[in-house]
């Protein structure tokens, strides 16, 4: 079976893994499952990983994607790491607000903001 | 041969929304095929000039409803199918999605924003559909969801 295509671009910045989503839509179960695996690989690669997820390109997000983010957040916390989300457009932020997950995740405006104190 | 269960029989009954103007798409119950109806529905939505917010809402609700039909309704059985009927006009977009499962009781689905459920990874689909669509109604014992988005 061909390897799943990469759904993320990862760059290191002062020891922080900055993950940019490649896809405009994080909707369907298949690609979310692949995306979750790829994020887990990043989280597992560094002890006490510090992770920033950059949503700049993301225009659509489903409840399955929220579930994947919750699972990732739990995993990062178990490893004494930190996870922050940033560059979330207003429509997507509304999805976080409706589900009240805006209170559960650390959400910042930009990658620069997310770097502060991480 | 497996005896036809109630939901199989319901599948062949005419829906209340099969009057002229409603289009029908049947797809097999896989995540891959569940994506197929979206393109045609959104094309009509665009042709009727619905705004970006309405399009966002319809796309999200459709994704959630199709996932629920495949995963919870048909329990990932690819031999089953999902029937999508839809109609778009100047005033509203109506989408009916029916699965071949045994149904469920929507009222029994817990509120995912309850403090002790907030960090559970699943259970937000119905809530999002209700937040983004003007009408969300479960019919036929929960095997069909009826979604309406009105033009603002």
């Amino acid at each position: 079976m061909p390897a799943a295509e990469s759904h993320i671009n990862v760059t290191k910045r002062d020891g922080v893994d900055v993950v940019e989503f490649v896809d405009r839509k994080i909707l369907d179960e298949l690609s979310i499952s692949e995306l979750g695996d790829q994020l887990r690989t990043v989280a597992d690669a560094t002890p006490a990983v510090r992770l920033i997820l950059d949503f700049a390109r993301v225009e659509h997000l489903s409840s399955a994607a929220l579930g994947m983010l919750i699972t990732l957040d739990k995993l990062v916390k178990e490893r004494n790491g930190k996870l922050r989300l940033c560059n979330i457009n207003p429509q997507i932020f509304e999805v976080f607000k409706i589900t009240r997950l805006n209170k559960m995740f650390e959400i910042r405006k930009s990658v620069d903001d997310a770097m502060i104190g991480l | 041969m497996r005896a036809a269960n109630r939901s199989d029989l319901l599948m062949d009954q005419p829906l209340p929304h099969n009057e002229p103007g409603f289009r029908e798409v049947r797809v097999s119950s896989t995540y891959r095929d569940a994506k197929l109806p979206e393109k045609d529905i959104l094309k009509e939505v665009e042709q009727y000039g619905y705004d970006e917010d309405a399009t966002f809402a319809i796309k999200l609700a459709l994704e959630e409803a199709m996932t629920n039909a495949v995963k919870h309704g048909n329990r990932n059985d690819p031999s089953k199918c999902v029937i999508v009927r839809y109609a778009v006009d100047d005033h509203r977009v109506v989408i009916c999605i029916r699965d071949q499962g045994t149904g469920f009781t929507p009222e029994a689905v817990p509120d995912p924003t309850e403090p002790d459920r907030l960090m559970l990874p699943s259970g937000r689909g119905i809530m999002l559909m209700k937040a983004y669509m003007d009408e969300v109604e479960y019919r036929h014992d929960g095997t069909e969801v009826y979604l309406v988005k009105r033009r603002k």
Side-chain angles (χ1 to χ4, degrees), chain B:
Chain B
M1 205 178 86
R2 186 170 61 93
N5 65 28
R6 186 157 179 271
S7 60
D8 287 337
L9 295 173
L10 274 175
M11 214 68 174
D12 295 324
Q13 283 178 13
L15 291 178
H17 306 290
N18 60 352
E19 61 262 35
F22 273 80
R23 293 176 199 277
E24 181 180 304
V25 190
R26 285 180 187 231
V27 294
S28 66
S29 196
T30 63
Y31 292 131
R32 198 172 299 276
D33 285 2
K35 290 187 208 169
L36 297 175
E38 183 192 284
K39 199 176 161 194
D40 287 339
I41 295 174
L42 290 180
K43 197 171 154 192
E44 276 206 43
V45 168
E46 194 190 336
Q47 280 166 355
Y48 275 89
Y50 282 85
D51 66 15
E52 200 192 322
D53 284 349
T55 308
F56 181 91
I58 292 161
K59 203 168 186 164
L60 184 63
L62 193 55
E63 175 63 36
E64 301 295 344
M66 291 303 282
T67 299
N68 283 351
V70 171
K71 191 178 184 175
H72 302 298
N74 291 340
R75 300 196 180 271
N76 293 301
D77 179 351
S79 70
K80 291 187 171 175
C81 73
V82 180
I83 300 182
V84 181
R85 287 185 173 87
Y86 65 96
V88 183
D89 66 22
D90 281 328
H91 308 290
R92 60 182 198 159
V93 178
V94 182
I95 305 170
C96 301
I97 295 166
R98 185 181 280 193
D99 62 57
Q100 290 183 298
T102 50
F104 76 112
T105 310
E107 298 77 31
V109 176
D111 178 354
T113 62
E114 297 266 336
D116 59 337
R117 309 196 69 84
L118 209 48
M119 286 310 269
L120 292 182
S122 59
R124 294 178 181 80
I126 296 175
M127 183 192 199
L128 286 178
M129 284 191 271
K130 284 182 175 167
Y132 279 93
M133 300 300 275
D134 295 304
E135 280 180 54
V136 177
E137 195 183 309
Y138 279 92
R139 297 172 169 179
H140 303 290
D141 298 329
T143 58
E144 182 187 303
V145 63
Y146 170 80
L147 305 164
V148 180
K149 186 73 185 173
R150 291 196 193 84
R151 192 189 290 277
K152 289 282 179 289

